Amino acid sequence: MVDNLAGTTETAVIVPVPAADAVVGPYRQALDHSAVWGVPAHVTVLYPFLAPERITAAVVDELGEVLARTGSFECVFSRVAWFGQDVVWLAPEPAGPFRTLTERVWRRFPECPPYGGAHPEVVPHLTIGSTRRAGPAALERAAAEVAAMLPIAAGIDRVRLIAGSSSPGSWRTVAGFAV
């Protein structure tokens, strides 16, 4: 097991989107449980990933090899969208490179289907908030306010393996990878 995983209960592979923090950061802190855990604004590549005790130096190396074949890319978040009435999020354009990252990592680690296999289609997104942490009115207000501040242009050149638990501030970067 990699050293800095003590006390963690799960892992994820994400694309951090620092360019979005200035716009969505305050909303995420109030409306997104993962922000409270310490997870930055991001598009998920694969969650849940391997159990922390399975993260070895060899796994980190393999993940790096898979991700290195992708290459950096540019995207724009210009649209607010919803999953039902429960989750408000930003849609990246193009979404294809994010799907490619997920497909490549999942192909290499087939025991880790995206979102545990709960959703038939993977929709790349950057979560603003959900009813897990806020009411519908707060989410609708955030959606309108964030929409007024779009678009957000982002250069995507990094992926992170992160680990943590449901405790506030517990998530941290285990490894970073250039794409």
Side-chain angles (χ1 to χ4, degrees), residues 45 66 70 95-107 124:
V45 173
V66 169
T70 303
F98 293 102
R99 283 191 181 94
T100 298
L101 284 167
T102 296
E103 289 165 4
R104 287 181 177 168
V105 176
W106 184 19
R107 192 175 311 122

Side-chain angles (χ1 to χ4, degrees), residues 63-127:
L63 188 56
E65 289 172 16
V66 169
L67 295 169
R69 288 178 265 188
T70 303
S72 62
F73 58 95
E74 301 289 320
C75 75
V76 176
F77 296 88
S78 59
R79 180 174 60 89
V80 173
W82 291 80
F83 292 129
Q85 297 177 337
D86 298 325
V87 180
V88 61
W89 49 278
L90 294 178
E93 299 289 334
F98 293 102
R99 283 191 181 94
T100 298
L101 284 167
T102 296
E103 289 165 4
R104 287 181 177 168
V105 176
W106 184 19
R107 192 175 311 122
R108 173 54 197 92
F109 299 94
E111 68 274 32
C112 302
Y115 303 102
H119 307 288
E121 180 185 358
V122 174
V123 178
H125 64 282
L126 190 153
T127 299

